[in-house]
Amino acid sequence: MLKLTVVSTPKTVQDQELWGKTAIAVDVLRATSTIVAAFEAGCSECYPANTLEEARAMRRTLGEGTLLGGERHGLPPDDFDLGNSPREYTKARLNGRLLVFVTTNGTLAIRRTGRSRHGLVASLANARAVALEAMRLRRDIVVICAGTQDRFSLEDTIGAGAIVDSLLKQGQKLALTDLATAASDLFTQHANKLPELLRRSVHGQTLIRLGFEADLARCAQLNVSEVVPVYYGTSIRPQLP
Amino acid sequence: MLKLTVVSTPKTVQDQELWGKTAIAVDVLRATSTIVAAFEAGCSECYPANTLEEARAMRRTLGEGTLLGGERHGLPPDDFDLGNSPREYTKARLNGRLLVFVTTNGTLAIRRTGRSRHGLVASLANARAVALEAMRLRRDIVVICAGTQDRFSLEDTIGAGAIVDSLLKQGQKLALTDLATAASDLFTQHANKLPELLRRSVHGQTLIRLGFEADLARCAQLNVSEVVPVYYGTSIRPQLP
């Protein structure tokens, strides 16, 4: 029996709750969906940054050819190569490249996984692949939802629910926290209408207003990638199937 | 259109988010269910205390005949008249009496409502009655779930969902936060099997181990009371229909 905890934001989990465990960062709209897209497009390594300044410094250190991607208030700063839309992360742009990536909520969740034994990055696209890897690692699991502005977000909770669902379908016995139970129930309720659910979320509504409605359909695609991004304390590298 | 916010614990809401609004405290297992039971049994006024010491001091001040109720780790301290089980709060014991009440999670949520314009106390038993009163007050609504040990709890989220459900059924237009949407969806999913849901919750499991399984069925009763307990900054008094 593994214990599976879901927390609604990175701030609601203490370091000691992560020690020795497998931690999974989820930011469905859109950071972790975009990171999965980047690795699917052949990106070799992704450095998550907390601030724009840190991101720019990382690019200078990593040198020529390093791409800078991400957002503030949903949009990429002027000197960035890429925004936070998974649809921009194509093979033509990403193949073999290093990426420095900064977003408002997502990178914080990813960095928090660095306090655990194994840090993984999940979206709806690779939820099953990450669940299988977490099962193989045989440690208690903490799913860290990025949340929106330090609050519960519907889309990340559904992403957590997709992971629970894959584990249960594999026959994995789980002791679920209440938020994990709720995430699992919500996922089951909405599994066949995920695009609609993302449109109902507060952050989904914001993205529609900003002109990113097509991203919602993309981020709602379930189990379409086998990539398992692993966070090694400084950078994320894909563990390919 | 009213804005309806649900927060998973009292600590996740700032004072300024409550100013001028209607705040509703929910602790289904078991504090707010017990308070509704106390008023149904004729209790005249209930003083929520944060600590055992404060509760004892309140009883001394309020004088002879004041009852002391509540729990630490689920059980009443030795010198208390009553625990935190709604089944103990009978007319024979409560009618016309003052009550000082202290619980681990619930009283903190109730006291937080004191920062709002109108503070109400809800359980599944009086969810619809409280929703109707909140609608009449025509202010934005913040439902403050007590949570369990500063974390999301399934049963309080369902309680919040019951309030949202009653408002929507009255035709009230609502702008929902993501947690309010999730609460509403979970309530809809489980409305006809609430006792089972309470048994699945982590706190429900704890109460079953402590011998309080009968309380779960009692706390799962939906819309059986018309009492609207109002928190006036120091004490709670019932607004009778």
Side-chain angles (χ1 to χ4, degrees):
Chain A
M1 176 97 82
L2 297 182
K3 182 171 184 201
L4 191 147
T5 301
V6 176
V7 297
S8 50
T9 71
K11 288 190 182 166
T12 54
V13 65
Q14 308 292 318
D15 277 3
Q16 63 263 36
E17 296 178 270
L18 298 173
W19 294 340
K21 298 185 181 162
T22 297
I24 304 172
V26 176
D27 187 8
V28 168
L29 292 177
R30 298 170 287 170
T32 61
S33 300
T34 299
I35 289 169
V36 172
F39 287 130
E40 281 287 343
C43 169
S44 58
E45 197 170 3
C46 170
Y47 287 77
N50 276 337
T51 64
L52 299 183
E53 294 59 42
E54 188 183 41
R56 290 173 183 127
M58 279 179 170
R59 172 157 71 171
R60 282 194 298 276
T61 305
L62 293 167
E64 282 297 310
T66 303
L67 295 168
L68 195 48
E71 55 78 31
R72 274 298 176 268
H73 309 296
L75 299 169
D78 285 342
D79 61 330
F80 273 41
D81 305 301
L82 297 152
N84 189 24
S85 167
R87 294 175 299 130
E88 299 175 66
Y89 288 70
T90 59
K91 223 172 193 68
R93 284 171 168 166
L94 269 293
N95 202 21
R97 303 288 284 273
L98 292 182
L99 171 68
V100 173
F101 191 66
V102 57
T103 71
T104 311
N105 302 299
T107 47
L108 191 62
I110 293 165
R111 284 194 162 198
R112 289 293 286 141
T113 70
R115 302 295 177 162
S116 70
R117 180 71 179 79
H118 301 285
L120 308 177
V121 174
S123 64
L124 288 168
N126 71 338
R128 184 177 53 210
V130 168
L132 293 179
E133 175 62 10
M135 208 169 130
R136 197 185 66 76
L137 294 169
R138 293 179 171 279
R139 289 170 179 271
D140 287 345
I141 297 165
V142 182
V143 180
I144 305 176
C145 294
T148 302
Q149 293 169 322
D150 290 327
R151 283 276 168 86
F152 175 101
S153 85
L154 200 53
E155 67 276 14
D156 296 338
T157 307
I158 289 294
I163 294 167
V164 177
D165 183 68
S166 287
L167 288 167
L168 294 174
K169 280 186 176 147
Q170 291 291 322
Q172 176 66 54
K173 299 262 185 217
L174 295 172
L176 299 177
T177 62
D178 274 3
L179 186 51
T181 300
S184 172
D185 285 7
L186 284 166
F187 176 79
T188 304
Q189 191 178 20
H190 295 290
N192 58 3
K193 45 187 173 176
L194 294 173
E196 184 188 307
L197 187 85
L198 297 198
R199 280 197 296 274
R200 283 169 70 205
S201 72
V202 168
H203 194 53
Q205 287 293 315
T206 303
L207 289 172
I208 290 169
R209 278 196 301 275
L210 289 170
F212 292 113
E213 184 157 9
D215 282 356
L216 271 60
R218 171 70 182 261
C219 295
Q221 292 179 354
L222 180 69
N223 297 333
V224 292
S225 170
E226 300 300 322
V227 166
V228 177
V230 181
Y231 181 53
Y232 290 97
T234 312
S235 72
I236 309 163
R237 294 198 296 274
Q239 177 179 299
L240 294 164
Chain B
M1 174 97 82
L2 297 182
K3 182 172 183 198
L4 190 145
T5 300
V6 177
V7 297
S8 50
T9 72
K11 288 190 182 166
T12 54
V13 65
Q14 309 292 319
D15 277 3
Q16 63 263 36
E17 295 177 89
L18 299 173
W19 293 341
K21 298 185 181 162
T22 297
I24 304 172
V26 175
D27 186 8
V28 168
L29 293 176
R30 297 170 286 169
T32 60
S33 299
T34 299
I35 289 169
V36 172
F39 288 129
E40 280 288 344
C43 168
S44 58
E45 197 170 5
C46 170
Y47 287 77
N50 276 337
T51 64
L52 300 183
E53 294 61 41
E54 188 183 41
R56 290 173 182 128
M58 279 177 170
R59 174 159 66 173
R60 281 193 299 275
T61 306
L62 293 167
E64 282 298 309
T66 302
L67 294 169
L68 194 50
E71 55 79 30
R72 275 299 177 265
H73 309 294
L75 300 169
D78 285 342
D79 61 330
F80 273 42
D81 305 300
L82 297 153
N84 190 23
S85 166
R87 293 175 300 131
E88 298 176 66
Y89 288 70
T90 58
K91 221 169 195 70
R93 284 171 166 166
L94 270 292
N95 202 22
R97 304 288 283 273
L98 292 183
L99 171 69
V100 173
F101 192 66
V102 57
T103 70
T104 311
N105 302 299
T107 47
L108 191 62
I110 292 164
R111 285 195 163 198
R112 290 292 286 141
T113 70
R115 303 295 177 162
S116 69
R117 181 71 179 79
H118 301 286
L120 309 177
V121 174
S123 64
L124 288 167
N126 70 339
R128 184 177 53 213
V130 168
L132 293 179
E133 174 62 11
M135 208 169 131
R136 197 184 66 76
L137 293 168
R138 294 180 170 278
R139 290 172 179 268
D140 287 344
I141 297 165
V142 182
V143 181
I144 305 176
C145 295
T148 303
Q149 292 170 323
D150 288 330
R151 283 276 167 85
F152 175 102
S153 85
L154 200 52
E155 68 275 13
D156 296 338
T157 308
I158 289 294
I163 294 167
V164 177
D165 183 68
S166 286
L167 289 166
L168 294 175
K169 279 187 177 147
Q170 291 291 323
Q172 175 66 54
K173 299 263 185 213
L174 295 172
L176 299 177
T177 63
D178 273 4
L179 187 51
T181 300
S184 172
D185 286 7
L186 284 166
F187 176 79
T188 305
Q189 191 178 18
H190 295 290
N192 58 3
K193 44 186 173 178
L194 293 174
E196 184 187 309
L197 187 86
L198 296 199
R199 279 195 297 273
R200 284 170 70 206
S201 71
V202 168
H203 195 54
Q205 286 294 315
T206 303
L207 290 172
I208 289 170
R209 278 195 301 276
L210 289 171
F212 292 113
E213 185 158 7
D215 281 357
L216 272 60
R218 171 70 181 261
C219 295
Q221 292 179 353
L222 181 68
N223 297 333
V224 293
S225 169
E226 301 300 322
V227 166
V228 177
V230 181
Y231 182 53
Y232 290 98
T234 311
S235 72
I236 308 163
R237 293 198 296 273
Q239 177 179 297
L240 293 164

